[in-house]
Amino acid sequence: MSEPAAEGDYRVLGTETVYEGRVITLVRDTVAMPGGGDSVREVVRHPGAVAVVALDDEGQVVLLRQYRHPVGGYLWELPAGLRDADGEPPLETAKRELAEEVRMAAERWSLLTTTFSTPGFCDEQVLVYLAEGLSDVDRPEGFTVEHEELDMTVELVPLAEAVQRVFDGAIRNSAAVVGLLAAAQHRAAGTRLRPVDAT
């Protein structure tokens, strides 16, 4: 059995921008293959995102029900958002999204996990944080609720029930699935987490 190729064995020979949108860019990369020859890969470039498992003192987690046009329906999700503010550290994005979407702040923050949403064609990385010691706050000044967020439902659910919703197929958003299972494992086993500023 041959050894897997090292990352350096795949070289980008050329890149063509096919489409540039508000959030995503589609590029066509020509990549040198380690066994010889080259191949074309279409890649969606994405700024990345954060998601927050906001857990209160009673062990309840904040869930949002939001309409998602690409799947044509509502999904239960975690508070989350794009890393689209220039220069904003991901933890600050997570804090801002928690305040904007559910009007909450947290005393304690931990980095639960990082995940690539769909690495077969997209470079989006999601950093999933655990937020504890929750308190109510006002939305940030200048923030306006609009579009799908106007129709959003917020619910506090016991963590164990949220995990069961994952297994029931009622929670299908990948960041929510990963975040809820990671939070449950962390609480059950006391797993060691990375520093909050790791990526």
Side-chain angles (χ1 to χ4, degrees), residues 2 4-5 11 23 25 31-33 35 40-42 54 63 66 89 97 100 128-129 132 144 146 151 155 163 175 178:
S2 62
R11 287 180 297 107
V23 175
T25 300
V31 183
M33 297 286 111
V40 174
R41 297 287 183 261
E42 292 173 342
L63 294 177
Q66 186 171 355
E97 290 293 340
E100 288 176 354
V128 184
Y129 292 93
E132 299 171 289
T144 304
E146 58 185 2
D151 187 33
E155 189 175 301
V163 168
V178 170

Side-chain angles (χ1 to χ4, degrees), residues 5-167:
E7 287 182 17
D9 292 339
Y10 291 91
R11 287 180 297 107
V12 177
L13 302 174
T15 298
E16 172 195 356
T17 299
V18 177
Y19 170 79
E20 191 164 355
R22 187 180 63 83
V23 175
I24 64 164
T25 300
L26 174 63
V27 299
R28 187 177 292 121
D29 286 343
T30 303
V31 183
M33 297 286 111
D38 56 72
S39 186
V40 174
R41 297 287 183 261
E42 292 173 342
V43 180
V44 174
R45 300 281 182 218
H46 189 282
V50 298
V52 181
V53 178
L55 205 55
D56 72 11
D57 295 338
E58 285 74 50
Q60 299 181 109
V61 65
V62 178
L63 294 177
L64 309 174
R65 183 175 177 267
Q66 186 171 355
Y67 181 77
R68 292 298 187 183
H69 180 71
V71 298
Y74 288 86
L75 294 178
W76 283 102
E77 304 181 351
L78 300 172
L82 295 174
R83 292 190 55 204
D84 56 356
D86 283 344
E88 184 176 60
L91 178 59
E92 294 308 310
T93 305
K95 290 178 179 181
R96 178 174 52 79
E97 290 293 340
L98 188 63
E100 288 176 354
E101 292 192 339
V102 296
R103 292 185 271 193
M104 288 186 176
E107 289 178 15
R108 298 181 307 282
W109 289 86
S110 306
L111 180 61
L112 270 176
T113 187
T114 53
T115 179
F116 288 107
S117 301
T118 49
F121 68 87
C122 182
D123 67 356
E124 179 189 27
Q125 180 178 236
V126 182
L127 287 80
V128 184
Y129 292 93
L130 175 64
E132 299 171 289
L134 302 180
S135 59
D136 295 331
V137 294
D138 291 330
R139 284 198 170 100
E141 191 173 330
F143 175 73
T144 304
V145 178
E146 58 185 2
H147 307 303
E148 289 89 349
E149 290 179 348
L150 287 166
D151 187 33
M152 201 162 54
T153 303
V154 179
E155 189 175 301
L156 275 168
V157 177
L159 180 59
E161 180 184 324
V163 168
Q164 187 57 54
R165 289 186 187 185
V166 169
F167 291 107

